[in-house]
Amino acid sequence: MNRNIKLIWDFRGPTSAKTAAHHEIHLKEYIQIEKLPLEITGHEIMHEMHAIAYMVVPESHMIAVRDALKPHRGEVYEL
Protein backbone atom coordinates (compact mmCIF):
# COMPACT_ATOMS: atom_id res chain seq x y z
CA MET A 1 0.00 0.00 0.00
CA ASN A 2 1.30 3.44 -0.89
CA ARG A 3 1.04 5.89 1.99
CA ASN A 4 0.67 9.62 1.52
CA ILE A 5 3.18 11.99 3.09
CA LYS A 6 2.41 15.58 4.07
CA LEU A 7 5.50 17.70 3.41
CA ILE A 8 5.47 20.82 5.58
CA TRP A 9 7.16 24.21 5.42
CA ASP A 10 7.07 26.26 8.64
CA PHE A 11 6.95 30.05 8.66
CA ARG A 12 7.27 32.11 11.82
CA GLY A 13 6.80 35.76 12.67
CA PRO A 14 4.16 38.42 12.16
CA THR A 15 3.99 37.83 8.38
CA SER A 16 3.93 34.03 8.59
CA ALA A 17 0.31 33.69 7.37
CA LYS A 18 0.93 35.72 4.22
CA THR A 19 4.21 33.94 3.57
CA ALA A 20 2.60 30.49 3.91
CA ALA A 21 -0.24 31.47 1.55
CA HIS A 22 2.28 32.74 -0.99
CA HIS A 23 4.40 29.61 -0.65
CA GLU A 24 1.36 27.47 -1.48
CA ILE A 25 1.14 29.28 -4.83
CA HIS A 26 4.70 28.16 -5.61
CA LEU A 27 3.90 24.58 -4.57
CA LYS A 28 1.00 24.53 -7.05
CA GLU A 29 3.27 25.95 -9.76
CA TYR A 30 5.84 23.22 -9.07
CA ILE A 31 3.14 20.54 -9.43
CA GLN A 32 2.10 21.94 -12.82
CA ILE A 33 5.65 22.40 -14.11
CA GLU A 34 6.70 18.88 -13.10
CA LYS A 35 3.33 17.40 -14.23
CA LEU A 36 2.95 15.56 -10.94
CA PRO A 37 -0.23 13.62 -10.11
CA LEU A 38 -0.74 15.64 -6.92
CA GLU A 39 -3.80 17.56 -5.87
CA ILE A 40 -3.55 18.37 -2.18
CA THR A 41 -1.81 21.57 -1.12
CA GLY A 42 -2.72 24.11 1.49
CA HIS A 43 -1.72 26.49 4.20
CA GLU A 44 -2.82 26.78 7.81
CA ILE A 45 -2.38 29.37 10.52
CA MET A 46 -1.20 27.55 13.63
CA HIS A 47 -1.24 30.74 15.72
CA GLU A 48 -0.50 34.42 15.10
CA MET A 49 3.26 33.87 14.83
CA HIS A 50 3.34 30.46 13.10
CA ALA A 51 1.84 29.26 9.82
CA ILE A 52 2.55 26.33 7.54
CA ALA A 53 2.29 25.53 3.86
CA TYR A 54 2.02 21.90 2.84
CA MET A 55 1.79 19.48 -0.04
CA VAL A 56 0.64 15.85 0.12
CA VAL A 57 2.61 13.40 -2.02
CA PRO A 58 2.52 9.64 -2.46
CA GLU A 59 5.39 7.99 -0.63
CA SER A 60 6.79 6.90 -4.02
CA HIS A 61 7.29 10.59 -4.99
CA MET A 62 8.40 11.80 -1.57
CA ILE A 63 12.18 11.57 -1.95
CA ALA A 64 12.28 13.38 -5.31
CA VAL A 65 10.00 16.18 -4.11
CA ARG A 66 11.79 16.42 -0.76
CA ASP A 67 15.18 16.75 -2.42
CA ALA A 68 13.91 19.38 -4.88
CA LEU A 69 11.87 21.54 -2.48
CA LYS A 70 13.52 20.97 0.92
CA PRO A 71 10.51 20.93 3.27
CA HIS A 72 11.17 21.51 6.96
CA ARG A 73 9.42 18.31 8.03
CA GLY A 74 6.95 15.65 6.98
CA GLU A 75 4.33 13.37 8.47
CA VAL A 76 2.08 10.53 7.34
CA TYR A 77 -1.11 12.02 5.92
CA GLU A 78 -4.45 10.42 6.70
CA LEU A 79 -7.77 11.68 5.41
Side-chain angles (χ1 to χ4, degrees):
M1 185 166 109
N2 196 19
R3 297 185 302 174
N4 288 322
I5 307 297
K6 182 178 182 180
L7 300 176
I8 302 168
W9 290 262
D10 292 289
F11 301 97
R12 299 185 188 278
T15 61
S16 61
K18 286 184 179 182
T19 305
H22 183 78
H23 192 72
E24 182 186 5
I25 293 168
H26 291 297
L27 295 176
K28 288 179 179 181
E29 290 171 346
Y30 177 81
I31 289 168
Q32 287 182 330
I33 290 167
E34 296 297 322
K35 297 177 177 58
L36 296 174
L38 310 177
E39 297 179 5
I40 303 172
T41 64
H43 64 279
E44 295 176 19
I45 299 170
M46 309 310 280
H47 58 78
E48 66 184 50
M49 298 291 277
H50 181 210
I52 65 169
Y54 63 87
M55 145 190 292
V56 177
V57 301
E59 193 169 27
S60 60
H61 287 77
M62 189 274 298
I63 292 176
V65 174
R66 179 201 67 195
D67 290 351
L69 300 182
K70 312 247 187 293
H72 297 126
R73 57 194 172 99
E75 59 188 40
V76 174
Y77 178 77
E78 297 181 28
L79 293 175

